[in-house]
Amino acid sequence: MTTPVRLRAVSAPDQPDVTPALEDLYRGFERELLVPLWTEIGDLMPVHPRSKARPHVWRWDSLRALAAQAGEIVPVGRGGERRAIALANPGLGGRPFATPTLWAAIQYLMPGENAPEHRHTQHAFRFVIEGEGVWTVVNGDPVAMRRGDFLPQAGWAWHAHTNATAAPMAWIDGLDIPFQYLTEAQFFQPGRDELSDAERATPDRSRAERLWGHPGLRPVSGAAAPDTPGSPLLAYRWAHTDRALADQLALEAEGYQGTLEPGHAAVRFTDPSSGGDVLPTMRAEMHRIRRGTETAPVRETGSSVYAVFDGSGRVSVGDQSWSVTRGDLFVVPSWEPFSARSQAGVSDSDSGALDLFRFSDAPVFEALKLYRTQSPGTLS
Amino acid sequence: MTTPVRLRAVSAPDQPDVTPALEDLYRGFERELLVPLWTEIGDLMPVHPRSKARPHVWRWDSLRALAAQAGEIVPVGRGGERRAIALANPGLGGRPFATPTLWAAIQYLMPGENAPEHRHTQHAFRFVIEGEGVWTVVNGDPVAMRRGDFLPQAGWAWHAHTNATAAPMAWIDGLDIPFQYLTEAQFFQPGRDELSDAERATPDRSRAERLWGHPGLRPVSGAAAPDTPGSPLLAYRWAHTDRALADQLALEAEGYQGTLEPGHAAVRFTDPSSGGDVLPTMRAEMHRIRRGTETAPVRETGSSVYAVFDGSGRVSVGDQSWSVTRGDLFVVPSWEPFSARSQAGVSDSDSGALDLFRFSDAPVFEALKLYRTQSPGTLS
Amino acid sequence: MTTPVRLRAVSAPDQPDVTPALEDLYRGFERELLVPLWTEIGDLMPVHPRSKARPHVWRWDSLRALAAQAGEIVPVGRGGERRAIALANPGLGGRPFATPTLWAAIQYLMPGENAPEHRHTQHAFRFVIEGEGVWTVVNGDPVAMRRGDFLPQAGWAWHAHTNATAAPMAWIDGLDIPFQYLTEAQFFQPGRDELSDAERATPDRSRAERLWGHPGLRPVSGAAAPDTPGSPLLAYRWAHTDRALADQLALEAEGYQGTLEPGHAAVRFTDPSSGGDVLPTMRAEMHRIRRGTETAPVRETGSSVYAVFDGSGRVSVGDQSWSVTRGDLFVVPSWEPFSARSQAGVSDSDSGALDLFRFSDAPVFEALKLYRTQSPGTLS
Amino acid sequence: MTTPVRLRAVSAPDQPDVTPALEDLYRGFERELLVPLWTEIGDLMPVHPRSKARPHVWRWDSLRALAAQAGEIVPVGRGGERRAIALANPGLGGRPFATPTLWAAIQYLMPGENAPEHRHTQHAFRFVIEGEGVWTVVNGDPVAMRRGDFLPQAGWAWHAHTNATAAPMAWIDGLDIPFQYLTEAQFFQPGRDELSDAERATPDRSRAERLWGHPGLRPVSGAAAPDTPGSPLLAYRWAHTDRALADQLALEAEGYQGTLEPGHAAVRFTDPSSGGDVLPTMRAEMHRIRRGTETAPVRETGSSVYAVFDGSGRVSVGDQSWSVTRGDLFVVPSWEPFSARSQAGVSDSDSGALDLFRFSDAPVFEALKLYRTQSPGTLS
């Protein structure tokens, strides 16, 4: 689709005087498909990032209910391929973009259903807010999905999902679809229609975990050398994540360093073959904010999506603020200040802590030397 | 600006049956700002990149004339800051984006004019098609600009331009404005109103060249360690580029390797402190296609902008083909096949060779492991 | 100590004719402290590495007995600092060098004893063949040592050892002392005479494990960013190592890849912040050779020290071959072929497997692009 | 050759009491090839590096004369392969080691002579103090050698030398022979007996320079991608080095940064494909000390060899000090303080500057995180 250039000479302090000569110039620009910087600089080159995306929260109850409703009437299969329902940021034109670079969706699989095998260059992960019973089969390796598990799946890996139980299951998908859409990097390939019997197995641990899931150890075998662009470890289990967070808070209580700030523990999911981010374009972390703690406001270039994994609290994003509870999702656009407070009493967890899962596009910013952050004390 | 979600149930092979239940579901999605994958997957996850951008050529004569016209009536200074006129790809909504990630503009400075000092996180370079007489002052270092020179300027470096002669001068600007606009990474800061006398000097070589412009040598001094995210060398002179291209073709004629393919020499501008690309987000190269040679078609993820530096020829981009000559600019969108042929006789150069300057977003794709290319023989 | 040059003209096929002129030349060389290449090239530039070190085995029973004997009569403390008794390769001039680059020793601590705090640039680790009861205190963090544990300690980290029990304990020390001695890189600093009460604690897990010992997870806190040149994880527990080896053999039995070769599982101890070797100059691995399996012979540049952790077997190193059992140590010099066979029945373990701990100087060779290996099939 | 362990119980403050039990223990150690740390720690683990090597100077006149004498009576060819005469540091046992890791030699080729083709894993370079007329042929590419040129040759590259003139020529060889000897990494392979006619050509510029010798530019061709472990650029010409040094001093005179310290310019020879050191194990630099300048004392881990390229001066190394002039070579052992002073008037150069070529093992120390330096002001 071809779009013309349309320029309008306006009378404004920073603009050239509106004269017939200027109008004539602008008509020439339009004819030749040109746009002058002086009409655009305010939008294109702001003093600091002013995101098109807006702070917004999506409620788990609504998401879950609509996903279940879709489960009843929309088939999974070729065409849509997945029963995935994406967050559409209200500032991004009604497109299924949670932020300018990130896709976040709820995916829903009915008992006995299979999402067919395919692969794509978009990097992806699953994160489980509740439930269990689905195995995601990545390059032939069945990986159980259970509450609290984080399951990365690097670009161009074959994958299918199969619900081996009698209950439906929902989970969160994160992908870099908007980023690859904007940069126009995407490839997609459909796979086989049916999985093999071996792929329909429902082991407790995946083969990837058996090879790569031992702390500080890597297999020496050449066969195990990762050939994908992301982590060879396909599941990060909640038991490990939970223990790591509890350890940090316990160290703090004993007087040692370990937390990110007082009362705020945080771990990052990493590629054990490199120690770096789990996926080339996405960072994923789990944060725990102890009962009664409020984090210091911070802002960063790049955007994040948060999911409340456990507990309740109140979060502030830019000029917005919401009470949130399990399963709620919200976005933090580029350079918007963010802070969170746990709310004991409201929480239905024993600890009163607020557990937040977060993913962001930080690896893009770091790789290209565009990452900036403003430390809490310097925010006004 | 908030935009609603609008979903339309359509009767199509890959879509769910249009029923009242589906309509009800879609109204629920709209209410909760959700978009299902199944209505979007064809656009978001294509089999291979299908660029929104279109192959297009801009003619130097028109560009040059409109820039001169702007020189007469549009002031340089605060507000627009620069008299820069950008290519607006006809597929990109009338925005000043040559491709989804790259900005290309002609900038024009009248005799005695100064473009005021500022800095921004957007990475930039200048490339000179014709003329001379402007010095770009980068972090206080005046750098002469002459035909054939390539002048990178990494993000967040202070810079101003000053025309020290009695004639106007035009040149090509390349920046990653669209990429940083889409990822929302941009910072901008205005600088001083006036340059110092030392900065108004017009030396033949910049201080950067005197420190970093010696082949295979780097200064040992800590002072010279680069603190910017890109190349510390601020000018790549045409004499060097020209000789490197001539050397490759001479080696080929003597029976040795060196050219990219028969009759096609190419050099890449690199950061001498790392050997890598000259800027974190942009690759820049000069290509020389010998008289009577046609390059093999190739396609790549990511987009490029080409400028004809010398000679004449015919270029093919996707399903388009144009005769081009000195100063013409054209774009190659992601995954569109590209080839070029020199046209002896039409050329006004002695050699009959076609010299093409090219810049692209390849470093983004390589850093994030998204780069793919299809070698000539495998294109159908 | 100054040493003169001594040259002897010899009559040999590759040497210059012995004449008065040559004798006169050689006297000139000696006077000016010069040595010609032609008398030395055979030794200095061999066709492939011919190690000065020799294949040799040290028996655990003898080592253990002599260490206990030393425990009775040699104090731990300033001066020697440690009750460490090093392997002296018979080819290396009676010096305490297991190989030209590696130090291996048995260290022995009596009940209630403390090895005083110090630090040095030499990288080190402990590996426990038997027993428990000592805590090594690294930068103030007490780390329990038990059978099968691997405990790295990067250069310039403060460390002391304290035996908190009523029994003596022995373990294996590995350091790069010979490498740093030859390259002359060493610094040493004595520390405090006494540890604090907090440092005398005997926790089950170290603080390092609580921060860094969770598979695929890293702490986000800046405080936890490693500032030492090696792994921030101070203990690799046997339970994890054992499970990782068992997992590889089980995967093989199920028909999947994972082992290094049939019946031969192997894991490498890695720095979780980088995925690379646990120490800048030393690689450490654990190998398990299944009952009745013989590994294919392989040779590599660089040298290794092996310790039999469990089981019995027969190992071949160059032209040597020995039966080995728990605790025996042996060396594989550069480019000497190595293979190992488990010996079921002789073994006192249930499984009949042979477990070999190995450390080597491979990171030096890899970092400097000097690593070579010859794959099994190509060895004659 | 097997060497026994010999231990002597001595009565000393830091040693165990000499008793029959100790003597018995030591006999046990000897029998089992063991050496205790407590007798060795002072030598093996010093407070800071105390080099076995000694500061020493070799005089060019003597070197040159002896090399010429060897030219008359010692053939070049199989066996010795090269007429190379190496510096033997007086502290290193009469071996041809300038420092514990570095080899430095004068090589001498008579008119019409050829040093036969071979290759080896040892990294090497040539540096020309005086004369010209020899071409070194590296992987078939003839490279002219002239005064001031630096010519690296990475490990495992085929190379031969041929004197195409009627006069003998001498130059300096630098290799990592001692380092590879100590680590036992060396491979060697003899090549063809005769070079082809094309390889006997005597071009002004090598093919390597034509591909890689343009400042900030690299060939795009895959063919030109370096496959050796060091720099693909085979000659760094004096004209470039000289100009880079002059530029730094001129910048300083104009009030800008650029020199290493006042009056002291320095450039490092780098691999243009990486910006790093020209060879994996050796750093090479050229320093210019302006007339009347004395450098601040500095010390570093690792050792260096210096050659006076031009001018005269006085250098201090540890507790030694010498007047030096063109062609003199001297060594700076690990952690010995070094400074240099130019001596105007004595110099036969117009400028009165002292030009020092230097090579060192710094890349080994940096890659393995063993590099330390003490800045001038902190030396007592």
Side-chain angles (χ1 to χ4, degrees):
Chain A
M1 188 184 67
T2 300
T3 43
V5 169
R6 290 280 173 262
L7 297 172
R8 202 161 65 87
V10 293
S11 189
D14 286 336
Q15 294 301 304
D17 294 340
V18 181
T19 62
L22 188 73
E23 295 285 1
D24 183 58
L25 179 66
Y26 282 11
R27 295 299 85 72
F29 287 165
E30 289 175 351
R31 199 168 49 241
E32 300 292 335
L33 294 178
L34 299 170
V35 174
L37 176 60
W38 61 80
T39 64
E40 302 284 321
I41 190 168
D43 181 41
L44 292 179
M45 305 184 90
V47 170
H48 61 71
R50 289 198 194 98
S51 183
K52 304 297 185 218
R54 295 169 53 91
H56 193 78
V57 66
W58 287 259
R59 300 299 178 179
W60 183 246
D61 287 348
S62 307
L63 277 176
R64 188 72 170 74
L66 284 163
Q69 191 176 337
E72 299 297 328
I73 59 176
V74 179
V76 160
R78 299 298 170 200
E81 300 266 342
R82 296 287 186 269
R83 195 184 291 110
I85 303 158
L87 312 188
N89 191 292
L92 297 176
R95 310 274 351 232
F97 298 168
T99 80
T101 57
L102 299 172
W103 162 282
I106 183 170
Q107 192 171 155
Y108 194 85
L109 212 54
M110 298 290 278
E113 274 188 336
N114 303 296
E117 190 185 53
H118 63 207
R119 64 177 179 177
H120 41 69
T121 53
Q122 287 90 350
H123 301 295
F125 68 82
R126 328 280 157 216
F127 178 71
V128 185
I129 296 286
E130 64 181 32
E132 61 181 60
V134 168
W135 270 254
T136 179
V137 182
V138 181
N139 289 330
D141 185 7
V143 188
M145 294 170 63
R146 305 187 198 93
R147 171 162 161 80
D149 293 346
F150 171 78
L151 309 112
Q153 169 216 294
W156 216 235
W158 291 110
H159 56 286
H161 313 309
T162 176
N163 188 338
T165 66
M169 181 179 168
W171 65 89
I172 303 295
D173 278 341
L175 290 97
D176 60 0
I177 288 176
F179 181 76
Q180 293 208 28
Y181 180 77
L182 295 171
T183 53
E184 306 188 331
Q186 330 98 314
F187 291 81
F188 179 92
Q189 192 177 3
R192 298 163 300 161
D193 282 327
E194 298 291 335
L195 296 175
S196 67
D197 286 349
E199 291 166 314
R200 291 179 178 284
T202 55
D204 186 56
R205 287 191 299 153
S206 60
R207 300 200 297 273
E209 291 167 271
R210 293 159 77 192
L211 272 178
W212 286 96
H214 309 281
L217 302 176
R218 71 184 292 166
V220 176
S221 58
D227 57 353
T228 53
S231 178
L233 181 57
L234 298 178
Y236 296 68
R237 299 297 176 193
W238 174 244
H240 298 300
T241 307
D242 182 43
R243 192 184 197 201
L245 294 168
D247 276 346
Q248 284 187 16
L249 290 170
L251 281 167
E252 179 184 292
E254 295 165 28
Y256 297 108
Q257 295 187 304
T259 54
L260 188 50
E261 60 183 325
H264 179 185
V267 292
R268 185 170 297 162
F269 300 100
T270 57
D271 178 343
S273 77
S274 71
D277 278 297
V278 72
L279 293 168
T281 53
M282 288 189 287
R283 171 164 296 169
E285 295 175 348
M286 182 69 74
H287 292 248
R288 175 166 293 170
I289 298 156
R290 205 181 41 201
R291 175 195 291 266
T293 296
E294 178 159 13
T295 66
V298 65
R299 57 184 180 185
E300 295 175 288
T301 50
S303 54
S304 295
V305 178
Y306 283 82
V308 180
F309 177 68
D310 210 355
S312 294
R314 188 153 189 93
V315 296
S316 294
V317 182
D319 57 3
Q320 301 283 308
S321 179
W322 316 284
S323 288
V324 291
T325 190
R326 186 189 284 192
D328 291 349
L329 291 130
F330 58 91
V331 297
V332 180
S334 187
W335 212 239
E336 293 286 2
F338 168 71
S339 68
R341 192 170 78 233
S342 57
Q343 283 182 314
V346 178
S347 169
D348 60 348
S349 76
D350 293 337
S351 69
L354 175 64
D355 282 359
L356 295 174
F357 171 78
R358 173 200 191 190
F359 71 102
S360 78
D361 54 7
V364 173
F365 284 74
E366 289 186 354
L368 304 176
K369 303 186 189 300
L370 296 170
Y371 183 74
R372 285 197 193 193
T373 187
Q374 205 167 17
S375 57
T378 67
L379 280 179
S380 57
Chain B
M1 189 185 66
T2 300
T3 43
V5 169
R6 290 279 172 263
L7 295 172
R8 202 161 64 85
V10 293
S11 188
D14 286 337
Q15 294 300 307
D17 293 339
V18 182
T19 62
L22 188 72
E23 295 285 2
D24 183 59
L25 180 66
Y26 281 12
R27 294 301 84 72
F29 287 166
E30 289 175 351
R31 199 168 50 240
E32 299 294 335
L33 294 177
L34 299 171
V35 175
L37 176 60
W38 59 81
T39 64
E40 303 283 322
I41 189 168
D43 181 41
L44 292 179
M45 305 185 90
V47 169
H48 60 71
R50 290 198 194 97
S51 183
K52 304 294 186 222
R54 295 167 53 90
H56 193 79
V57 66
W58 288 257
R59 301 299 179 179
W60 182 248
D61 287 347
S62 307
L63 277 176
R64 189 71 171 76
L66 284 163
Q69 193 176 337
E72 300 298 328
I73 58 176
V74 178
V76 160
R78 298 298 169 199
E81 299 266 344
R82 296 289 185 269
R83 195 184 291 112
I85 303 157
L87 312 188
N89 191 292
L92 298 176
R95 311 275 350 228
F97 298 168
T99 80
T101 57
L102 300 172
W103 163 283
I106 182 170
Q107 192 170 155
Y108 195 85
L109 213 54
M110 299 291 278
E113 273 189 338
N114 303 296
E117 190 186 50
H118 63 206
R119 63 178 179 175
H120 41 70
T121 53
Q122 288 90 348
H123 302 295
F125 67 83
R126 329 280 157 215
F127 178 71
V128 186
I129 296 286
E130 63 180 32
E132 62 182 61
V134 168
W135 270 254
T136 180
V137 183
V138 181
N139 288 332
D141 184 8
V143 188
M145 295 170 62
R146 305 185 198 93
R147 172 162 161 78
D149 292 347
F150 171 79
L151 309 111
Q153 169 217 296
W156 217 233
W158 291 110
H159 55 284
H161 312 309
T162 176
N163 187 338
T165 66
M169 182 180 166
W171 65 88
I172 304 294
D173 277 343
L175 290 96
D176 61 0
I177 287 176
F179 181 77
Q180 293 208 29
Y181 180 77
L182 296 171
T183 53
E184 306 188 330
Q186 330 97 313
F187 290 82
F188 179 93
Q189 192 177 3
R192 298 163 298 160
D193 282 329
E194 298 290 335
L195 295 176
S196 68
D197 286 348
E199 290 166 314
R200 292 179 179 284
T202 55
D204 186 56
R205 287 190 300 151
S206 60
R207 301 199 298 271
E209 291 167 271
R210 292 159 78 192
L211 272 179
W212 285 96
H214 310 281
L217 302 176
R218 70 184 291 166
V220 177
S221 58
D227 56 354
T228 53
S231 177
L233 181 57
L234 297 178
Y236 296 70
R237 299 297 177 192
W238 174 244
H240 298 301
T241 307
D242 182 43
R243 193 184 196 202
L245 293 169
D247 276 346
Q248 284 186 16
L249 290 169
L251 281 167
E252 178 183 294
E254 296 165 27
Y256 297 107
Q257 295 187 304
T259 53
L260 188 50
E261 60 182 326
H264 179 185
V267 292
R268 184 170 298 162
F269 300 100
T270 57
D271 178 342
S273 76
S274 72
D277 278 297
V278 73
L279 293 167
T281 53
M282 289 189 286
R283 171 164 296 169
E285 295 175 348
M286 182 69 74
H287 291 249
R288 174 165 294 169
I289 299 158
R290 204 181 42 201
R291 175 195 290 266
T293 296
E294 177 160 13
T295 67
V298 65
R299 55 184 182 185
E300 296 175 287
T301 49
S303 54
S304 295
V305 178
Y306 283 83
V308 180
F309 177 68
D310 210 356
S312 294
R314 188 152 190 95
V315 297
S316 295
V317 182
D319 57 3
Q320 302 282 307
S321 178
W322 317 282
S323 287
V324 291
T325 191
R326 185 189 284 193
D328 290 349
L329 291 131
F330 58 92
V331 297
V332 180
S334 188
W335 211 240
E336 293 285 2
F338 168 72
S339 68
R341 191 170 78 232
S342 58
Q343 283 182 313
V346 178
S347 167
D348 59 348
S349 75
D350 291 338
S351 69
L354 176 63
D355 282 0
L356 294 175
F357 171 78
R358 173 199 190 189
F359 72 102
S360 78
D361 54 8
V364 173
F365 284 74
E366 289 187 353
L368 304 176
K369 302 187 191 299
L370 295 170
Y371 183 74
R372 284 198 193 192
T373 187
Q374 204 167 18
S375 55
T378 68
L379 282 179
S380 56
Chain C
M1 190 186 64
T2 300
T3 43
V5 169
R6 289 281 172 261
L7 296 173
R8 203 162 64 87
V10 294
S11 189
D14 284 338
Q15 293 301 305
D17 293 339
V18 181
T19 61
L22 188 73
E23 294 286 1
D24 183 58
L25 180 66
Y26 280 13
R27 294 302 82 73
F29 286 166
E30 289 176 352
R31 198 168 51 239
E32 300 293 337
L33 294 177
L34 299 169
V35 174
L37 175 60
W38 60 81
T39 64
E40 303 283 322
I41 190 170
D43 181 41
L44 292 179
M45 304 185 90
V47 169
H48 61 69
R50 289 197 194 97
S51 183
K52 304 296 186 219
R54 294 167 54 89
H56 193 79
V57 66
W58 288 258
R59 299 299 179 180
W60 182 248
D61 287 348
S62 307
L63 277 176
R64 190 69 171 74
L66 284 162
Q69 194 176 333
E72 299 297 330
I73 60 176
V74 178
V76 159
R78 298 298 171 203
E81 299 264 344
R82 295 288 187 270
R83 195 184 290 110
I85 304 160
L87 311 188
N89 190 290
L92 297 176
R95 310 274 350 233
F97 298 168
T99 80
T101 57
L102 299 172
W103 163 282
I106 182 171
Q107 191 170 157
Y108 195 85
L109 212 54
M110 299 289 280
E113 275 189 336
N114 303 297
E117 190 186 52
H118 62 207
R119 63 177 179 176
H120 42 70
T121 52
Q122 287 91 350
H123 301 296
F125 68 81
R126 330 280 157 215
F127 179 70
V128 186
I129 297 287
E130 61 180 34
E132 61 181 63
V134 168
W135 270 254
T136 180
V137 182
V138 180
N139 288 332
D141 185 6
V143 188
M145 295 169 62
R146 306 185 197 94
R147 172 161 162 80
D149 293 347
F150 170 78
L151 309 112
Q153 169 217 295
W156 216 235
W158 292 110
H159 56 285
H161 312 309
T162 178
N163 188 336
T165 65
M169 182 180 167
W171 66 87
I172 305 295
D173 276 343
L175 290 97
D176 61 359
I177 288 176
F179 181 76
Q180 293 209 27
Y181 180 77
L182 295 171
T183 52
E184 305 187 329
Q186 330 98 314
F187 290 80
F188 180 92
Q189 192 177 3
R192 299 162 299 159
D193 282 329
E194 299 290 337
L195 295 175
S196 68
D197 285 349
E199 290 166 314
R200 290 178 179 286
T202 55
D204 186 56
R205 287 191 300 151
S206 60
R207 301 199 297 272
E209 291 166 270
R210 293 158 78 191
L211 271 178
W212 285 96
H214 309 282
L217 303 175
R218 70 184 293 166
V220 176
S221 57
D227 58 354
T228 53
S231 178
L233 181 56
L234 297 178
Y236 296 69
R237 299 298 177 192
W238 175 243
H240 298 301
T241 308
D242 182 43
R243 193 182 196 202
L245 294 168
D247 276 346
Q248 284 187 16
L249 290 169
L251 282 167
E252 179 184 293
E254 295 165 27
Y256 297 108
Q257 294 186 306
T259 54
L260 189 50
E261 59 182 326
H264 179 185
V267 292
R268 184 170 298 162
F269 300 101
T270 57
D271 178 342
S273 75
S274 71
D277 279 296
V278 73
L279 293 167
T281 54
M282 288 189 287
R283 173 165 295 169
E285 295 175 348
M286 183 69 74
H287 292 249
R288 175 166 292 169
I289 300 157
R290 204 182 42 201
R291 175 196 291 264
T293 296
E294 177 159 13
T295 67
V298 65
R299 57 185 182 186
E300 295 176 287
T301 50
S303 54
S304 295
V305 178
Y306 283 84
V308 180
F309 177 67
D310 209 354
S312 294
R314 189 152 190 94
V315 297
S316 295
V317 183
D319 58 3
Q320 303 281 308
S321 178
W322 317 282
S323 287
V324 292
T325 191
R326 184 190 285 194
D328 292 349
L329 291 131
F330 58 91
V331 297
V332 180
S334 187
W335 212 239
E336 293 284 2
F338 167 73
S339 68
R341 193 171 76 231
S342 59
Q343 284 182 314
V346 179
S347 168
D348 60 347
S349 77
D350 292 338
S351 68
L354 176 64
D355 281 0
L356 295 175
F357 171 77
R358 174 201 190 187
F359 71 101
S360 78
D361 54 8
V364 174
F365 284 75
E366 289 187 354
L368 304 176
K369 302 185 191 301
L370 295 170
Y371 183 75
R372 283 197 195 192
T373 187
Q374 206 167 18
S375 57
T378 68
L379 280 179
S380 56
Chain D
M1 189 184 66
T2 300
T3 43
V5 169
R6 290 279 172 261
L7 296 172
R8 204 161 65 85
V10 295
S11 189
D14 284 338
Q15 294 300 304
D17 294 339
V18 181
T19 61
L22 188 73
E23 293 286 2
D24 183 58
L25 180 67
Y26 281 13
R27 295 302 82 73
F29 286 166
E30 289 175 352
R31 200 167 50 241
E32 299 293 337
L33 294 177
L34 298 169
V35 173
L37 176 60
W38 58 82
T39 65
E40 304 283 323
I41 191 170
D43 181 40
L44 292 180
M45 304 184 89
V47 169
H48 61 70
R50 290 197 194 98
S51 184
K52 304 297 185 218
R54 294 167 55 87
H56 193 79
V57 66
W58 287 258
R59 300 299 179 178
W60 182 247
D61 288 348
S62 305
L63 277 176
R64 189 69 170 78
L66 284 162
Q69 193 175 335
E72 299 298 329
I73 60 176
V74 178
V76 160
R78 296 300 170 199
E81 299 265 343
R82 296 287 186 271
R83 195 184 290 112
I85 303 159
L87 312 187
N89 190 290
L92 297 176
R95 310 273 354 230
F97 297 168
T99 80
T101 57
L102 300 172
W103 163 282
I106 181 170
Q107 191 170 156
Y108 195 85
L109 212 55
M110 300 290 279
E113 274 189 337
N114 303 296
E117 190 186 50
H118 63 207
R119 63 177 179 175
H120 42 71
T121 52
Q122 287 90 350
H123 301 295
F125 67 81
R126 329 282 156 212
F127 179 70
V128 186
I129 296 287
E130 63 181 32
E132 62 179 64
V134 167
W135 271 254
T136 180
V137 182
V138 180
N139 288 331
D141 185 7
V143 188
M145 296 169 61
R146 305 186 198 93
R147 172 162 162 77
D149 292 347
F150 171 78
L151 308 113
Q153 170 216 295
W156 216 234
W158 292 109
H159 55 286
H161 312 310
T162 177
N163 187 336
T165 65
M169 182 180 167
W171 66 88
I172 303 295
D173 276 343
L175 290 97
D176 62 359
I177 289 176
F179 181 77
Q180 293 208 28
Y181 180 77
L182 296 171
T183 52
E184 305 187 329
Q186 331 99 315
F187 289 82
F188 180 93
Q189 191 177 4
R192 298 162 300 159
D193 282 328
E194 298 290 336
L195 295 175
S196 68
D197 286 349
E199 290 167 315
R200 291 179 179 285
T202 55
D204 186 56
R205 287 190 301 152
S206 60
R207 301 199 297 272
E209 290 167 270
R210 292 159 78 192
L211 272 178
W212 286 96
H214 309 282
L217 303 176
R218 70 184 293 167
V220 177
S221 58
D227 58 354
T228 54
S231 177
L233 180 56
L234 297 178
Y236 296 70
R237 300 299 177 190
W238 174 244
H240 298 301
T241 308
D242 182 43
R243 193 183 196 201
L245 294 169
D247 276 346
Q248 284 187 16
L249 290 169
L251 282 167
E252 178 184 294
E254 295 165 27
Y256 297 108
Q257 294 187 305
T259 54
L260 189 50
E261 59 183 326
H264 179 183
V267 292
R268 184 170 298 161
F269 300 100
T270 56
D271 178 342
S273 74
S274 71
D277 279 297
V278 73
L279 293 167
T281 54
M282 289 190 286
R283 173 165 295 170
E285 295 175 348
M286 182 70 74
H287 293 249
R288 175 166 292 169
I289 299 157
R290 204 181 42 200
R291 175 196 289 265
T293 296
E294 177 159 13
T295 66
V298 64
R299 56 185 183 184
E300 295 175 288
T301 50
S303 53
S304 295
V305 178
Y306 282 83
V308 179
F309 177 67
D310 210 354
S312 294
R314 188 151 189 94
V315 296
S316 295
V317 183
D319 57 5
Q320 302 282 306
S321 179
W322 317 282
S323 286
V324 292
T325 190
R326 184 190 285 194
D328 291 349
L329 291 131
F330 58 91
V331 297
V332 180
S334 187
W335 212 239
E336 293 285 2
F338 168 72
S339 68
R341 192 171 77 233
S342 59
Q343 284 183 313
V346 178
S347 168
D348 60 347
S349 76
D350 293 338
S351 67
L354 176 63
D355 281 0
L356 294 176
F357 171 78
R358 174 201 191 188
F359 71 102
S360 78
D361 54 8
V364 173
F365 284 74
E366 289 186 353
L368 303 175
K369 303 188 190 298
L370 295 169
Y371 182 75
R372 284 198 195 191
T373 187
Q374 206 167 17
S375 56
T378 68
L379 279 181
S380 57

